[in-house]
Amino acid sequence: MQGLTRFLEDGRLDLDTNPVENAIRPVCLTRKNALFAGHEVGAENWALLASIVATRKLNDVNPAAYIAETLEAIIDGHPLSRIEDLMPRRFRKSSSQPQ
């Protein structure tokens, strides 16, 4: 609780919500963009992709690398019996560094 009221005792500290507002802005924009997807299925696909990208970013994984590797694995015939290998939680962080 002291951290929330510290600015009252120290005039050098600013009460600033900009970092929080900046963190949630992409979520709000994505939600607004999904409203204009043109079709319900399009909006669902947009929401799914936005969720994957946001989750990967939160887990310090390059979303483009994750999507590219997953699609390549599917194209190369990744067996359905090993679908768990393609789940985001199994993605290797080492291979997600931007090139």
Side-chain angles (χ1 to χ4, degrees), residues 32-47:
K32 190 179 249 184
N33 288 340
L35 290 173
F36 301 103
H39 192 275
E40 185 176 341
V41 174
E44 289 173 2
N45 290 334
W46 176 263

Side-chain angles (χ1 to χ4, degrees), residues 5-72:
T5 59
R6 192 168 182 186
F7 73 95
L8 295 172
E9 299 166 359
D10 189 343
R12 296 173 294 170
L13 299 175
D14 287 329
L15 179 60
D16 186 8
T17 60
N18 277 339
V20 173
E21 291 173 15
N22 289 339
I24 66 170
R25 184 169 288 117
V27 175
C28 294
L29 288 174
T30 298
R31 185 183 65 223
K32 190 179 249 184
N33 288 340
L35 290 173
F36 301 103
H39 192 275
E40 185 176 341
V41 174
E44 289 173 2
N45 290 334
W46 176 263
L48 178 65
L49 184 59
S51 175
I52 289 171
V53 169
T55 303
R56 296 303 86 218
K57 285 181 179 179
L58 286 173
N59 289 293
D60 295 323
V61 172
N62 180 342
Y66 169 74
I67 292 169
E69 274 194 38
T70 302
L71 290 176
E72 285 175 16

